[in-house]
Amino acid sequence: MLFLVKMDVDIPAEFDAEKASQLKLVEKSRFQELQRSGKWRHIWRVVGQYANVSIFDVDSNAELHDLLVTLPLYPFMTVTVRPLCRHPSSIYEDDR
Amino acid sequence: MLFLVKMDVDIPAEFDAEKASQLKLVEKSRFQELQRSGKWRHIWRVVGQYANVSIFDVDSNAELHDLLVTLPLYPFMTVTVRPLCRHPSSIYEDDR
Amino acid sequence: MLFLVKMDVDIPAEFDAEKASQLKLVEKSRFQELQRSGKWRHIWRVVGQYANVSIFDVDSNAELHDLLVTLPLYPFMTVTVRPLCRHPSSIYEDDR
Amino acid sequence: MLFLVKMDVDIPAEFDAEKASQLKLVEKSRFQELQRSGKWRHIWRVVGQYANVSIFDVDSNAELHDLLVTLPLYPFMTVTVRPLCRHPSSIYEDDR
Amino acid sequence: MLFLVKMDVDIPAEFDAEKASQLKLVEKSRFQELQRSGKWRHIWRVVGQYANVSIFDVDSNAELHDLLVTLPLYPFMTVTVRPLCRHPSSIYEDDR
Amino acid sequence: MLFLVKMDVDIPAEFDAEKASQLKLVEKSRFQELQRSGKWRHIWRVVGQYANVSIFDVDSNAELHDLLVTLPLYPFMTVTVRPLCRHPSSIYEDDR
Amino acid sequence: MLFLVKMDVDIPAEFDAEKASQLKLVEKSRFQELQRSGKWRHIWRVVGQYANVSIFDVDSNAELHDLLVTLPLYPFMTVTVRPLCRHPSSIYEDDR
Amino acid sequence: MLFLVKMDVDIPAEFDAEKASQLKLVEKSRFQELQRSGKWRHIWRVVGQYANVSIFDVDSNAELHDLLVTLPLYPFMTVTVRPLCRHPSSIYEDDR
Amino acid sequence: MLFLVKMDVDIPAEFDAEKASQLKLVEKSRFQELQRSGKWRHIWRVVGQYANVSIFDVDSNAELHDLLVTLPLYPFMTVTVRPLCRHPSSIYEDDR
Amino acid sequence: MLFLVKMDVDIPAEFDAEKASQLKLVEKSRFQELQRSGKWRHIWRVVGQYANVSIFDVDSNAELHDLLVTLPLYPFMTVTVRPLCRHPSSIYEDDR
């Protein structure tokens, strides 16, 4: 089940720089684990912003919520979620 | 080069129904041709709306503009375009 | 899987009154069938508006999309969809 | 008398973590007392957000206001209230 | 129980002028009946607009909904409703 | 001359609690003096918010401005002002 | 008593052109009468729009409402009104 | 050449009060110098807000920019600028 | 003197197609005349929209207004105007 | 490939003034290097704001993203990006 998720990240200037770097490292590792599992299907940078647009493929709303709120950078994110479904014209299995 | 495109379609109630059906057929065939070419990489329905969210992979802004404005249903669409780029954490070639 | 759905209905003044009445009858019967099946769990009127707020309980995004776009009054609706999940504090099974 | 209430919670990063945990515990206990009394009829998490969507069943606007502003986390909430009423098509007593 | 209600009226230019005048007469008579009953406590014009701001005093959300949707000009109105309650500082019974 | 005024109050969490209590006491006393004088005709709480909706009856725009900006809590308020006038249908002197 | 008023004019394309010209002539004559009387103190075009920004100097909200709604082009206008008052720094009588 | 300028002023509560008073004095003196020169043609308070609406009469966009950004309170302002021009109906030279 | 102008064009579907084509031809010729004169310095298409972003270089606000409202397609345009001025860092004369 | 970019700069009052001056110097030098290279084709001040409107000419979305996020003042910027393409009516090579 697919969802379009946009994450805007805003780490305050006064936040400890080293702690931020470490959080980003953990975030990246957590992301790659989820991408390999197929749950976090796609991620792209939004040009000019500290933000990404992602496609999640999960079994339920609850699973998506749990994945998002346990991200290391979640406390600094504004998240919007839009449920998607297969487009009848698509010729690819991947767009289910 | 990737773009997130959202297309909201609004065909007025008074528009000729048969003409609309024919336009949708041509649209579908044009879409599948573009999807096969790799230009229109992904398409998904937005749940509850006559709208789609798509990923385009084109060589230039101009190419994207030409693809969009020549769609058979373009006169009935509201289109928003958001430029994307590869996320440094992604492990897949596909998210370039 | 739960979704909060808001439906704003706007039937144009020039639309045939009898046809509108008939559509509303079919809509009501379709609604009650879905409510009995447990798919359309709750419905409430928004005070002062021709609109409702509803809770759907469906198996997937695709099922929700299909239920919504096949409603007899769908062509006159503006629909917004917000995915929900169980709140950890809730003591009732029903709020899953 | 029913109301749809959305509560967005935003506890500042610099707020004392232990005090926050304690507030959440008291909030949970207060919530469950209200849910048992039937005043706070439903609660759901909004996917991807520290927010809930709730249905209150109270005797008056004043009672709703008093319930909301005395919640332990109220000082950190942005609250929106939308009055609802029974939908004529509903077959369940519960949607009064 | 008090509600602040704003009604924006927009009668299309092509609507039959005589029918509009008659609707306004019925509306006025219905309004005055409700004002005498104490249900429609106050009404004021918004300067420069075909709109009013009103205070309703009703027994329930459902009663307010019924009063509003049966107004003769309701089909031409955009209505917003905001629930109010007594302010603790007020010295007048009337502001209950 | 009547005005609809909405005041949203936001006292920062870090503001001295005792000083805030004292300001609210002075505000209340100032409010009641104005209500008795007939200048601040009505006040109501907005349900679920630290905000009020009020009706002022003043001789001029300047008088309204002076009343508002000298309120003890004014530095913490966001104020919106909407000029009103008598509705031709009203049967009460009070709605002038 | 001063008010800043913005009027956006939108005469539909299908409106009779000659009738529109005549309305504009009457509007201009009515405007100049009001400008001479000192009630419509200033008027300016908004660059690139069929809209004006004006300063009215009237005795009451009701007088302003009556002046606006009796303008010949009023049925085609969207009007916004913002109450002003003398700025304490101004050195000119005119900015009262 | 005329411009409508709105300035919303927001001096943070923690800003040194004496420094603020001094800045306001310099601002007032700078304003009056500009008003006498004819550059800052009008200024009015917006009722209920720490904001003004002004009319500037300058030789170029650049001159307006320089006047605004060198105001003592500019760092605390949110400024919006709307270019105006003479309305063909105006009978006064002043509204050029 | 430079202005950023955005023009959104919306020709209704029911507008005579041949008349539209002719208007576009006249518009193009008028545009090129203005571009050659240096008044309409730049024009670009907004990707995916029937809209352009332009830079005008004119002597006054009034001249800009006259250029815009006499464009053949002006009745179908929504126009926004933003005054610009030279950036102090620019090394090119052209960005004056 | 052209993009319209708007950058709103907001350096907090409490940020070290000398450090800010130094950042601006580096920003200016970086800007001029990019302008000379032809990547940052145009820049203009937005009148009355600490903001600029710019035209970038880059080879890809990714290049634009890299140019923007490595600007010295980027952490203080809100950036919006709008893809452009050549307008068919333009007579100049420069507007490609």
Side-chain angles (χ1 to χ4, degrees), chain I residues 49-64:
Chain I
Q49 298 181 12
Y50 188 2
N52 71 69
V53 161
S54 292
I55 303 288
F56 279 80
D57 184 1
V58 292
D59 293 332
S60 68
N61 291 347
E63 186 185 11
L64 179 59

Side-chain angles (χ1 to χ4, degrees), chain G residues 59-78:
Chain G
D59 293 332
S60 69
N61 291 348
E63 185 184 12
L64 178 60
H65 186 72
D66 291 344
L67 290 184
L68 291 172
V69 300
T70 56
L71 290 175
L73 292 176
Y74 180 76
F76 306 106
M77 285 179 184
T78 302

Side-chain angles (χ1 to χ4, degrees), chain E residues 53-96:
Chain E
V53 162
S54 292
I55 303 289
F56 281 80
D57 184 0
V58 292
D59 292 333
S60 68
N61 291 346
E63 185 184 12
L64 178 60
H65 186 71
D66 292 344
L67 290 184
L68 290 172
V69 301
T70 55
L71 290 175
L73 292 175
Y74 180 76
F76 306 105
M77 286 180 184
T78 303
V79 175
T80 57
V81 172
R82 194 190 286 267
L84 304 176
C85 60
R86 185 176 177 78
H87 193 286
S89 302
S90 182
I91 55 177
Y92 292 128
E93 266 313 287
D94 189 54
D95 290 347
R96 76 170 164 282

Side-chain angles (χ1 to χ4, degrees), chain A residues 2 6 28 31-32 35-36 42-45 47 55 82-85 87 89-92 94-95, chain B residues 2 6 28 31-32 35-36 42-45 47 82-85 87 89-92 94-95:
Chain A
L2 299 178
K6 179 158 187 277
K28 184 177 180 174
F31 160 73
Q32 292 183 339
Q35 197 179 36
R36 272 190 211 97
H42 299 288
I43 189 170
W44 300 283
R45 271 262 177 264
V47 170
I55 303 288
R82 195 190 286 267
L84 302 176
C85 60
H87 193 286
S89 302
S90 182
I91 55 178
Y92 292 127
D94 188 55
D95 290 346
Chain B
L2 298 178
K6 180 157 186 278
K28 183 177 180 174
F31 160 73
Q32 292 184 340
Q35 197 180 36
R36 271 190 211 95
H42 299 289
I43 190 172
W44 302 282
R45 271 263 176 264
V47 170
R82 194 191 286 267
L84 303 175
C85 60
H87 193 286
S89 302
S90 182
I91 56 178
Y92 292 128
D94 189 53
D95 290 346

Side-chain angles (χ1 to χ4, degrees), chain F residues 62-92:
Chain F
E63 185 185 10
L64 178 59
H65 186 73
D66 292 344
L67 290 185
L68 291 171
V69 301
T70 56
L71 290 175
L73 292 176
Y74 181 76
F76 306 106
M77 286 180 185
T78 304
V79 175
T80 58
V81 173
R82 194 190 287 267
L84 303 175
C85 61
R86 186 178 176 76
H87 193 286
S89 301
S90 181
I91 56 177
Y92 291 127

Side-chain angles (χ1 to χ4, degrees), chain A residues 62, chain C residues 1-3 41-42 44 55-57 84-96, chain D residues 31-32 34-36 39-46 52-56 94:
Chain C
M1 221 168 56
L2 299 179
F3 291 88
R41 195 101 67 95
H42 299 289
W44 300 283
I55 303 289
F56 280 80
D57 184 1
L84 303 176
C85 60
R86 186 177 175 77
H87 193 285
S89 302
S90 182
I91 55 178
Y92 292 127
E93 267 312 288
D94 189 53
D95 291 346
R96 75 171 165 280
Chain D
F31 160 73
Q32 292 184 339
L34 287 169
Q35 197 180 35
R36 272 189 211 98
K39 296 290 181 194
W40 197 327
R41 198 100 66 96
H42 299 288
I43 189 170
W44 300 283
R45 271 263 177 264
V46 180
N52 71 70
V53 162
S54 293
I55 303 288
F56 280 81
D94 188 55

